[in-house]
Amino acid sequence: MSAVVISGSGLWKPAEYVTNEELVAAYNAYALQYNERHADAIARGEVQEKPQSSTEFIEKASGIKQRYTYCKDGILDVQRMRPNLPVRADDELSHQAEMAVLAARQALQAAGKTAADVDMVVVSCAYTQRAYPAIAIEVQQALGIEGFGFDMLVACSAATFALHRAYDAVAAGSSACVLVINPELTTPQVNFTDRDGHFIFGDVSTAVILERADTCTSDHSYEILSTQALTQYSNNIRSNFGYLSYADDSDPFAEDKLFHQNGRKVFKEVCPMAAQHLTGQVEKAGLAVADVKRWWLHQANINMNELIARRLLGRDPAPNEAPIVLDEYANTASAGSIIAFNLYHEDLEAGDIGVICSFGAGYSIGSLVVRKTAS
Ligand code: CO8
């Protein structure tokens, strides 16, 4: 069996972004208006007053300074507090497919591949904008790829879990070259009227090409040494959005249908799980933590990443040993570790070991140990 390599990646970010200052100003104005509108009910104890948000809290608690937005229009509008996305006709490229295609083209170019080389397309992310036809099949057609495509939803672990499936397909010989794309259009699921969560997410799209080592011509490729996944059921990160709302007469846009979480619990429970998983994963590959040159970790929260890195290494990570992209990108669901990989891999030398790892809703953790190959 030929080795399986990651031979290219792509990162597309929207032109528009929202700073913490803009976000907090809009939320605080909304909260004041809401409290005025509900003053009597708040006084009677029937409605909870909306507290003010703060840029200082957001940056300290999360490391986030801004987030890219596929559609900024509407998010800062106190009368709307959600993106104002235009509907596209069925015969137009959908929003999410457009994001996917833009990242996919970059990944193909980085890998030195064309659409004709790819035989499997996986679109994997936290949400797809519709149930069917699959976004992956739409992307397949837009790029002119033969073969097959399908969608996967695994929240923040969607990218790593899809890379696992791609690795399995190439290793088994059922596919020769796989395109994995993560068009994370998260902002339509953010409750911008909730101060606990209004700052967390941003939109971005990432893509990765996997192929057999013997077909790879890329200058920067990474042999996949091992893959490992873990899931453990938890209600601490949840979105109840789904097609049953039509039948159960619930409000399809109610707060529980949007992203919500018990962030404190997530922090406490996921950090030790992730550190333990990563140590085991590296050992499974016959290596020690000290052998790993770069950790491309999921990007949910800077304090989480620093704690996991310290638990793993027994010290603070050196600059760029576990790169952080949260300040610019915020939490981009499954794309976070792939953004870190895309931006921080070319300086590695042949033989250097790296680990890509996601953790998030489910709970789910997915990781890949990779070794840079000689070009
Ligand atoms: N401004 C000011 N104060 C605030 C704000 C704010 N914006 N938000 C909360 N506070 C207050 C709280 O109300 C609380 O006040 P009090 O002490 O009076 O109760 C105080 O600040 C401290 O709050 P927390 O304890 O909640 O603060 P933390 O330090 O824990 O930080 C975080 C909150 C940042 C949420 C942190 O807990 C965290 O990051 N946890 C990990 C969460 C995580 O990683 N979740 C993963 C989610 S992503 C995922 O899995 C994929 C989902 C799919 C994508 C969805 C797309 C939409």
Side-chain angles (χ1 to χ4, degrees):
M1 181 189 97
S2 170
V4 180
V5 296
I6 291 175
S7 55
S9 67
L11 164 61
W12 176 81
K13 59 189 184 193
E16 294 183 326
Y17 59 90
V18 172
T19 64
N20 286 349
E21 288 71 22
E22 290 175 299
L23 191 78
V24 167
Y27 167 84
N28 284 349
Y30 167 85
L32 286 177
Q33 201 182 73
Y34 176 94
N35 292 340
E36 265 171 38
R37 206 168 53 241
H38 297 93
D40 292 344
I42 291 169
R44 287 195 302 273
E46 292 163 11
V47 169
Q48 248 191 333
E49 189 177 31
K50 285 217 180 258
Q52 294 281 285
S53 184
S54 96
T55 54
E56 295 74 26
F57 171 87
I58 293 171
E59 197 175 330
K60 189 161 173 282
S62 70
I64 296 166
K65 294 183 182 165
Q66 62 161 47
R67 69 283 301 137
Y68 290 102
T69 52
Y70 180 74
C71 174
K72 184 173 180 178
D73 180 37
I75 291 175
L76 303 176
D77 176 353
V78 176
Q79 308 309 328
R80 184 173 174 88
M81 302 298 277
R82 61 187 193 278
N84 193 1
L85 268 180
V87 176
R88 287 190 178 169
D90 285 358
D91 58 0
E92 289 181 281
L93 193 67
S94 67
H95 292 294
Q96 223 173 359
E98 179 181 305
M99 293 174 71
V101 163
L102 290 164
R105 288 206 175 106
Q106 290 187 26
L108 286 166
Q109 193 182 15
K113 291 282 174 266
T114 68
D117 298 309
V118 177
D119 55 9
M120 171 172 161
V121 180
V122 187
V123 163
S124 196
C125 45
Y127 299 91
T128 48
Q129 68 171 78
R130 61 167 186 262
Y132 47 83
I135 306 292
I137 303 176
E138 189 184 1
V139 171
Q140 183 196 351
Q141 188 203 36
L143 291 172
I145 292 170
E146 289 180 13
F148 66 97
F150 60 90
D151 294 347
M152 278 176 68
L153 300 181
V154 201
C156 285
S157 288
T160 56
F161 276 44
L163 291 173
H164 291 181
R165 300 290 71 76
Y167 168 81
D168 290 346
V170 177
S174 60
S175 284
C177 181
V178 183
L179 170 61
V180 172
I181 323 171
N182 323 107
E184 290 292 7
L185 183 48
T186 65
T187 49
Q189 259 282 298
V190 172
N191 184 351
F192 286 104
T193 71
D194 167 34
R195 115 176 148 154
D196 288 1
H198 74 132
F199 57 88
I200 296 178
F201 292 99
D203 301 324
V204 78
S205 181
T206 53
V208 173
I209 298 283
L210 270 84
E211 60 181 307
R212 291 201 318 267
D214 59 11
T215 60
C216 175
T217 56
S218 166
D219 287 341
H220 298 281
S221 62
Y222 298 82
E223 181 184 351
I224 296 171
L225 301 181
S226 78
T227 62
Q228 192 158 299
L230 170 78
T231 53
Q232 187 179 297
Y233 189 66
S234 165
N235 275 321
N236 287 326
I237 313 170
R238 214 176 155 98
S239 159
N240 291 329
F241 170 76
Y243 75 103
L244 288 189
S245 300
Y246 185 56
D248 64 18
D249 295 336
S250 64
D251 173 2
F253 309 115
E255 291 199 344
D256 77 297
K257 303 297 193 303
L258 303 175
F259 165 86
H260 56 286
Q261 70 168 348
N262 186 336
R264 257 294 136 112
K265 270 198 171 164
V266 175
F267 195 109
K268 279 202 183 127
E269 292 173 5
V270 171
C271 286
M273 273 173 73
Q276 193 185 11
H277 170 92
L278 282 165
T279 308
Q281 161 72 338
V282 169
E283 284 167 2
K284 185 183 150 199
L287 298 160
V289 163
D291 296 326
V292 178
K293 192 89 184 256
R294 182 119 335 138
W295 301 89
W296 297 288
L297 298 180
H298 177 56
Q299 307 280 319
N301 175 294
I302 194 169
N303 301 313
M304 227 169 158
N305 283 35
E306 287 179 352
L307 182 63
I308 291 169
R310 273 201 299 275
R311 276 196 183 221
L312 276 169
L313 305 170
R315 57 172 170 79
D316 286 335
N320 292 346
E321 194 174 3
I324 302 284
V325 303
L326 281 157
D327 51 346
E328 180 180 348
Y329 290 88
N331 183 339
T332 51
S334 75
S337 58
I338 308 301
I339 299 174
F341 173 81
N342 177 276
L343 296 175
Y344 296 92
H345 73 88
E346 290 192 356
D347 61 311
L348 293 187
E349 290 172 6
D352 282 348
I353 302 288
V355 176
I356 301 172
C357 179
S358 66
F359 34 86
Y363 296 136
S364 60
I365 303 182
S367 57
L368 299 95
V369 178
V370 300
R371 179 170 54 210
K372 186 150 191 184
T373 51
S375 54

